Structures are given as structure tokens and as C-alpha cells.
Amino acid sequence: MNDDLRTELALLRDLGFTHLDLTKPLSEAAAVEAGLAGESLELQPNEETLESLGAVASACVRCRLAQSRTQVVFGTGSPTADLMFIGEAPGRDEDLQGEPFVGRAGQLLTDIIKAMRLTRDDVYIANVIKCRPPENRNPEPDELDACRPYIRRQVELIQPKVIVTLGRFALQSLLEKSYSITSIRGQWLEYHGVKVMPTLHPAYLLRTPAAKKDVWSDMKQVMGELGIAF
Ligand code: URA
């Protein structure tokens, strides 16, 4: 089964479909299952918006993190952003406020975005994991797998020109490859036709301020790609 089909089927399942009648076109079969078939097709899974995807995510129970979260942290910013930042998972502050990167690491990310002559409203910020892992432990592989369709669909809907991944987990989970972040950061990669700049996580920079110059060098490449003067 190819990735597109797998993602589509996973989302249909999240939208509540339990059966597909393959004798009919897929969208029609899905609508019949959802009780939406009629004169006009109200639900086209291929044409969902970020908002409707966020609504699906907010009720997600695809993994055990649903039991301990306060709320799902879906993402924030411009739905038409050229630049997307993708982090790991919500921490305590994010879990309480429902917004990614609002704690100390988030403040540093905001400063990085400002240094790029942008604001948080110009970009889109999300995580590969939408629910806080208890005690901020590392996400488990099955949790990353369960959550991956959401970030994939967010990227498809936003269609950014550039994605910046923050830290090892974001990079590895998005690209489904076990890169070493220290050797790959600063080198352009690709995700379904979108350029990806892997860089270090802001939380790491809080512990290792000397690495800020590496992140700034990566962000200058991103600015160059987006045509932002520095
Ligand atoms: N770290 C992350 O990776 N994401 C957040 O939203 C906050 C901290």
C-alpha cells in the first residue's frame, strides 16, 4: 500500500468511517458511510481544511497519550504559511495552553522567528506528536506512527515552501529515517517535494547556548530560500 493511500485510509478511519463500499467512487462511498450522501457532498476527505483536521485531532484516541493529555496541541499560525516549524511534542505549558512552543523553548523559537524578520503569525508551528507525553518522556515509536498522518496532512494542506524541523525526533519522525541530527543539520532534505532544513531543538539551545550560531546559520539558509534579506 502506498503512503498516500495509507494516510487517506487512516484519516477516513479517524473521521469515523468503518466501511468503504468500493463499488462506488471513494468520496461517495465515504459520504454514504457517514450518512452525508445526498444532493450535495458535504464531506470530501480530500478537501478538508486545517480547521476540520484540527477538529478530528482534538478528539483523537489513536494512542495512549490521549489518556494523560489535558488537550490536543494541533498547531498554530498561518494556514498559508511559506515556512513551517515542526517540533517534537507538547510540554507542560503547551498541554495547558493548547498551543505549541509557548514555554521557555517556545520563547527562544519566537526570538529566532523574529530574528528572521518574521512573526509567529507569518509561519505555521506544529509538532510531530500532538499530545504531551507524561513527564515529558520521549515519544514511543508507536505514538509517532499513530500521530504521523496528522503532520503529513497539515503539510499537504498548508503547502509550505520550506519546513524547518527542530531536533532529532521531529526530523526522524517526519522523514521516517534515523538521521543523526548533529551530522545532518544545516543540509537541505526533502519531504514530498517540500524543502526541509533540519536544525537543532530550541530546548537544546537553552542547555547549549554555543550552538545558537549553528541554528542561525541554518536559518540564514532558510531566509535565502524564502527571499528574505538579512
Ligand atoms: N518542544 C517541542 O518540541 N514542542 C513544543 O510544542 C514545545 C516544546
Side-chain angles (χ1 to χ4, degrees):
M1 196 188 298
N2 71 25
D3 275 0
D4 283 347
L5 183 57
R6 189 174 292 116
T7 305
E8 211 62 70
L9 290 173
L11 279 164
L12 285 171
R13 188 182 56 202
D14 287 343
L15 285 165
F17 303 131
T18 53
H19 302 87
L20 290 175
D21 180 353
L22 297 175
T23 60
K24 301 195 176 79
L26 189 59
S27 55
E28 193 189 336
V32 168
E33 173 66 24
L36 292 172
E39 290 299 293
S40 67
L41 199 56
E42 289 175 63
L43 183 63
Q44 288 274 12
N46 283 331
E47 292 169 15
E48 82 211 334
T49 61
L50 262 189
E51 219 178 329
S52 65
L53 183 65
V56 170
S58 71
C60 184
V61 288
R62 298 187 60 161
C63 81
R64 64 186 76 77
L65 297 181
Q67 288 153 29
S68 51
R69 72 181 180 225
T70 304
Q71 57 194 309
V72 171
V73 181
F74 181 65
T76 187
S78 166
T80 56
D82 284 343
L83 176 57
M84 220 174 142
F85 286 91
I86 301 182
E88 178 182 326
R92 188 173 151 274
D93 296 315
E94 291 78 18
D95 176 66
L96 291 173
Q97 294 183 44
E99 195 173 319
F101 283 99
V102 290
R104 274 185 73 221
Q107 184 53 54
L108 183 51
L109 178 62
T110 304
D111 291 344
I112 292 168
I113 292 168
K114 280 191 197 147
M116 297 172 79
R117 300 172 195 259
L118 295 167
T119 67
R120 281 176 71 110
D121 291 338
D122 294 323
V123 304
Y124 193 87
I125 307 173
N127 289 305
V128 290
I129 286 274
K130 307 297 186 209
C131 301
R132 182 192 183 201
E135 312 303 324
N136 295 351
R137 64 157 169 76
N138 290 335
E140 302 283 351
D142 63 326
E143 294 161 356
L144 290 161
D145 289 345
C147 220
R148 195 170 293 109
Y150 290 115
I151 195 70
R152 165 87 189 267
R153 198 76 186 111
Q154 282 173 298
V155 172
E156 285 173 351
L157 290 165
I158 295 166
Q159 298 187 1
K161 293 197 171 86
V162 172
I163 294 170
V164 172
T165 55
L166 302 164
R168 176 167 69 97
F169 277 99
L171 175 67
Q172 293 190 349
S173 183
L174 190 72
L175 271 59
E176 295 186 70
K177 199 167 163 184
S178 53
Y179 291 104
S180 147
I181 184 67
T182 42
S183 25
I184 199 77
R185 63 138 278 275
Q187 297 177 44
W188 286 110
L189 300 171
E190 206 189 284
Y191 177 72
H192 298 281
V194 183
K195 294 194 98 175
V196 174
M197 174 53 66
T199 198
L200 305 170
H201 196 285
Y204 174 77
L205 298 185
L206 291 173
R207 299 190 298 273
T208 321
K212 284 184 185 173
K213 64 176 184 336
D214 294 331
V215 170
W216 183 233
S217 144
D218 303 344
M219 293 310 101
K220 283 200 286 193
Q221 290 199 67
V222 171
M223 291 168 75
E225 184 62 31
L226 294 174
I228 305 170
F230 48 88

